[in-house]
Amino acid sequence: MTKTFARALPLAFLATLAAGPALAAVDVTPTAANPVVELSVTETVLGAPDTATFSTGVTSKAPTAQEALRANSAEMEKVIAQIVALGIKREDIQTSGINLNADYEYGNDGRQPRFIGYQVTNQVTVKVRDMKRLGAILDAVVSKGANNISGPNFSIDDDSTAQREARDKAMQRAQAQAVDYARRIGFTGVQLLAVSEFTSNVSPMGMADMKRTSVQSVAAAPPIEGGQVGTSVTVNVTYQMTR
């Protein structure tokens, strides 16, 4: 998600007056003489995603923390090597978390949990730019020892064109609404005083979510459908009514 701001504010005039040996500074800021209307308008442009991001990793257990970490590191190196071998660039692979926790065995007999060792989880986030290969990539990663997967999240890598389209639609609708308000109370038009913008990416059908906890749970490459994703622009505008 990105956030950008563009503001068109009233001009401020700074007057500096001399008063004997000292100087007095006076800020003079013009204010709107006519009523103002403030609006928040959002427009969304849909498009086919060209990028998918998923998280994967390895969870390892051992009696000691050092053993768990060593075992996990060895398995994770295999997974990362497989991701690179699949043609994913190093800059599209990012470690998202390494966690070391005590591991306990919980029974149903009311006794206190029993400490049995340590658990290490190492996660990486992977960006896939060839959507057609996503299912095969997920299957190949699991085949090399990854025992958890979450995602994928779909996006458009360069959504600048969609942003411009959504921005144009939002500003046109805001202008039309402001003029409508003005005319309802006897004014003929509006003048823009201020505008700020917020952009975001949305999935109108919800985020895909798949999880695998063991190699045996994956029998074949999972089918993946990207659907559509949206680029949203929200403009917050202030207009002064004019005659």
Side-chain angles (χ1 to χ4, degrees):
M1 177 177 302
T2 59
K3 181 182 288 186
T4 58
F5 294 92
R7 298 186 180 275
L9 300 175
L11 296 176
F13 172 75
L14 177 63
T16 304
L17 301 177
L23 294 178
V26 179
D27 287 330
V28 180
T29 304
T31 58
N34 296 328
V36 299
V37 56
E38 297 180 348
L39 298 170
S40 181
V41 177
T42 300
E43 287 287 346
T44 300
V45 174
L46 298 178
D50 58 13
T51 306
T53 304
F54 69 92
S55 294
T56 188
V58 177
T59 299
S60 307
K61 297 182 179 183
T64 69
Q66 188 175 39
E67 289 175 318
L69 185 59
R70 284 178 176 173
N72 184 270
S73 297
E75 291 300 316
M76 198 62 195
E77 285 180 0
K78 296 178 184 178
V79 172
I80 293 175
Q82 175 70 341
I83 295 172
V84 173
L86 291 167
I88 305 297
K89 296 180 179 180
R90 287 278 182 178
E91 54 264 36
D92 288 333
I93 307 170
Q94 184 177 58
T95 297
S96 53
I98 300 175
N99 297 304
L100 170 66
N101 298 293
D103 192 21
Y104 293 90
E105 183 181 71
Y106 295 87
N108 297 322
D109 52 7
R111 292 184 300 176
Q112 291 293 322
R114 184 173 67 90
F115 173 77
I116 58 174
Y118 290 88
Q119 176 176 286
V120 174
T121 299
N122 189 332
Q123 292 284 124
V124 293
T125 300
V126 182
K127 180 180 289 187
V128 178
R129 301 180 186 274
D130 186 352
M131 295 282 289
K132 295 179 181 179
R133 299 181 58 220
L134 179 58
I137 289 172
L138 294 174
D139 182 58
V141 167
V142 171
S143 72
K144 287 299 181 179
N147 52 24
N148 61 76
I149 292 177
S150 63
N153 300 320
F154 298 104
S155 63
I156 299 173
D157 192 45
D158 181 5
D159 64 350
S160 57
T161 298
Q163 281 191 31
R164 285 194 296 272
E165 183 179 347
R167 183 180 299 115
D168 288 343
K169 290 182 177 180
M171 287 301 295
Q172 289 169 11
R173 185 152 67 93
Q175 175 87 11
Q177 289 182 6
V179 170
D180 183 59
Y181 277 114
R183 290 176 177 173
R184 287 175 184 272
I185 58 174
F187 289 82
T188 59
V190 294
Q191 178 186 6
L192 181 65
L193 296 180
V195 57
S196 65
E197 176 185 289
F198 174 77
T199 63
S200 62
N201 299 113
V202 297
S203 177
M205 295 178 290
M207 182 186 72
D209 188 13
M210 59 169 293
K211 295 184 179 179
R212 298 291 183 264
T213 57
S214 67
V215 174
Q216 289 77 14
S217 65
V218 179
I224 304 293
E225 295 293 336
Q228 286 190 312
V229 295
T231 298
S232 293
V233 174
T234 298
V235 293
N236 301 298
V237 293
T238 301
Y239 287 94
Q240 176 182 238
M241 298 181 185
T242 60
R243 293 190 186 279

